[in-house]
Amino acid sequence: MSDRKTAAELIHHPYQPPAGFAAPVQAVHKASSIFFKDVAELQRVRWADRDAYTYGLHGTPTTFALEARLASLEGANHVLLAPSGLAALNLVNQAFLKCGDQLLLPDNVYGPSRNAARHELANWGITHAIYDPLDPADLAAKLSPATRLVWLEAAGSVTLEFPDLTGLIAAVRANAPQALIALDHTWGAGLAFAPFELGVDLTIHALTKYPSGGGDVLMGSVGVRDRGLYEQLAAAHGRSGLGVGANDVELVLRGLATLPLRYAAQDAAARRVAAWAQTQTAVAQVLHPALPGSPGHEYWARHCTAAAGLLTLRFQPEWNRARVEAMADALKVFKLAWSWGGPVSLAVPYELAHIRSLHRNSGTVLRLAIGLEEPEVLIADLEQALESV
Ligand SMILES: Cc1ncc(COP(=O)(O)O)c(C=O)c1O
């Protein structure tokens, strides 16, 4: 993480201030209409080339600046913005899938992505299958000549299994060379591992989480290296109305300067909370990919130099749903809320039986997203909540 000098690159990214003015932050440009000097220019410029402006929906100097920084953060050649992480996921599906295609999703995929496959994509004649993220042979067995897109998520949602990325990518390349591989890279935030070096075709980010860091912005991005794939994505983006507001883009640009610091702090704090949770008799298992024994820990150790600030607690069998929910209700510093990556620590209970389909899973787990409070304050809050029930 440190040898790439990510923070310095994000802060000193090239931009051209107006003559005579130099400051750390660039101006925020807003427009729907953008003026052309003549008809020839109006007819010539292509926004997808990212060197000219056509219409506010398709980019301004502010959105192009964020795209360029995100591209350098994870080594993509092209980045497109979307109004949320979920919109970015759906843009990839929309750009590359057609009736008759098959889509593959890991069992620990972000829930709304699975629901989109069950509903909208199914209505459009696109089938999907769910594979075990820890078993490349299971993925290989589910690939077919109709497979066009395989999603990866590392670590997976809620249960945080870190997949065998190399094994999964090799299974797709060997058995379904026609398929594209897309990674939901939100957990890694462009910092924990390098997915393009591993061979994925596309990444998406929920910039809503770590890149924004404030808990006050919704935004997503798609990154790609291949020019042909970018052209396809840009065409679909241009037909979809996926505009982002300049003020929100400004907030994410501001957030990027502190992203490596915040990510490292939340990583360290989550590991402290995880280590404490492992000593609690009520807790049967702490799911966090950097912990030995957590599912996929060996793949996390192989691919990653850091971890996000997420952990999930599995409780002893006598901790039924009502008890876990009562404990969550007793939390004071942790707030009950979706999302992660912001300053406030968040907790959400999940029923495993509702969110997994491959293996028999039951029990109520508690997903914790660590914010920027002192870890001892968070541990004291968890301690009092456990005691209260
Ligand atoms: C792994 C993952 N991907 C994508 C998303 C969607 O992001 P957004 O909330 O910006 O739509 C989320 C949101 O929680 C997520 O956890």
Side-chain angles (χ1 to χ4, degrees):
M1 181 150 117
S2 54
D3 56 336
R4 282 191 52 228
K5 301 190 177 50
T6 310
E9 281 173 15
L10 288 170
I11 294 165
H12 292 276
H13 208 270
Y15 83 103
Q16 295 298 320
F21 178 82
V25 177
Q26 64 194 79
V28 177
H29 296 274
K30 298 181 183 183
S32 50
S33 297
I34 296 160
F35 304 146
F36 300 98
K37 74 174 185 308
D38 54 27
V39 173
E41 188 186 63
L42 180 147
Q43 291 172 347
R44 189 184 61 246
V45 295
R46 282 188 78 238
W47 61 267
D49 290 337
R50 287 325 198 223
D51 59 358
Y53 309 99
T54 53
Y55 184 55
L57 191 57
H58 303 143
T60 65
T62 312
T63 58
F64 287 3
L66 178 56
E67 290 171 353
R69 280 185 209 206
L70 293 171
S72 63
L73 173 63
E74 67 174 357
N77 290 329
H78 312 277
V79 167
L80 288 161
L81 300 178
S84 67
L86 186 54
L89 281 163
N90 282 317
L91 171 64
V92 173
N93 290 338
Q94 188 184 326
F96 298 110
L97 294 172
K98 62 180 185 322
C99 182
D101 285 346
Q102 187 207 29
L103 164 74
L104 277 161
L105 300 171
D107 199 23
N108 54 7
V109 72
Y110 173 57
S113 190
R114 184 194 293 244
N115 288 336
R118 280 184 183 146
H119 297 277
E120 282 74 21
L121 298 185
N123 291 343
W124 299 336
I126 296 155
T127 59
H128 75 278
I130 304 290
Y131 68 88
D132 181 341
L134 293 175
D135 185 2
D138 183 57
L139 171 62
K142 287 170 178 165
L143 295 165
S144 78
T147 309
R148 176 63 183 146
L149 181 61
V150 178
W151 276 103
L152 308 175
E153 197 170 315
S157 284
V158 184
T159 38
L160 298 169
E161 299 90 348
F162 201 95
D164 173 3
L165 287 172
T166 324
L168 294 175
I169 292 169
V172 178
R173 297 300 184 219
N175 298 288
Q178 76 288 355
L180 295 172
I181 302 177
L183 169 83
D184 184 330
H185 194 191
T186 304
W187 181 94
L191 296 169
F193 63 102
F196 285 111
E197 304 306 320
L198 296 174
V200 309
D201 297 305
L202 300 138
T203 62
I204 75 99
H205 287 262
L207 304 176
T208 309
K209 320 293 177 200
Y210 291 107
S212 139
D216 52 0
V217 175
L218 287 156
M219 203 178 294
S221 64
V222 184
V224 63
R225 278 193 173 169
D226 181 82
R227 179 77 198 184
L229 295 180
Y230 168 69
E231 292 286 345
Q232 254 182 287
L233 262 175
H237 190 278
R239 293 187 288 261
S240 305
L242 300 177
V244 294
N247 292 105
D248 284 347
V249 173
E250 180 194 22
L251 289 176
V252 180
L253 279 168
R254 190 184 170 109
L256 283 185
T258 55
L259 170 67
L261 286 175
R262 289 183 285 102
Y263 195 85
Q266 286 169 312
D267 177 0
R271 293 193 210 204
R272 273 197 55 196
V273 176
W276 165 85
Q278 282 185 308
T279 66
Q280 299 305 298
T281 49
V283 176
Q285 192 183 14
V286 181
L287 301 171
H288 181 302
L291 290 183
S294 203
H297 168 71
E298 63 272 35
Y299 305 117
W300 173 85
R302 186 178 303 165
H303 295 304
C304 295
T305 52
L310 295 174
L311 64 145
T312 295
L313 307 182
R314 284 185 95 119
F315 293 88
Q316 301 293 357
E318 64 274 18
W319 277 68
N320 60 15
R321 179 174 179 167
R323 199 164 171 193
V324 176
E325 289 179 356
M327 183 246 166
D329 275 334
L331 291 166
K332 295 186 173 116
V333 180
F334 281 88
K335 301 299 174 204
L336 299 175
W338 308 108
S339 205
W340 34 288
V344 180
S345 292
L346 306 175
V348 177
Y350 288 88
E351 286 304 294
L352 286 181
H354 295 169
I355 59 171
R356 297 289 172 265
S357 54
L358 280 192
H359 304 293
R360 256 175 58 85
N361 261 308
S362 60
T364 310
V365 297
L366 189 68
R367 202 270 309 269
L368 301 176
I370 302 302
L372 290 168
E373 305 92 339
E374 290 81 2
E376 53 274 21
V377 173
L378 301 175
I379 290 170
D381 191 35
L382 291 163
E383 227 156 26
Q384 66 78 24
L386 281 174
E387 274 164 24
S388 76
V389 291

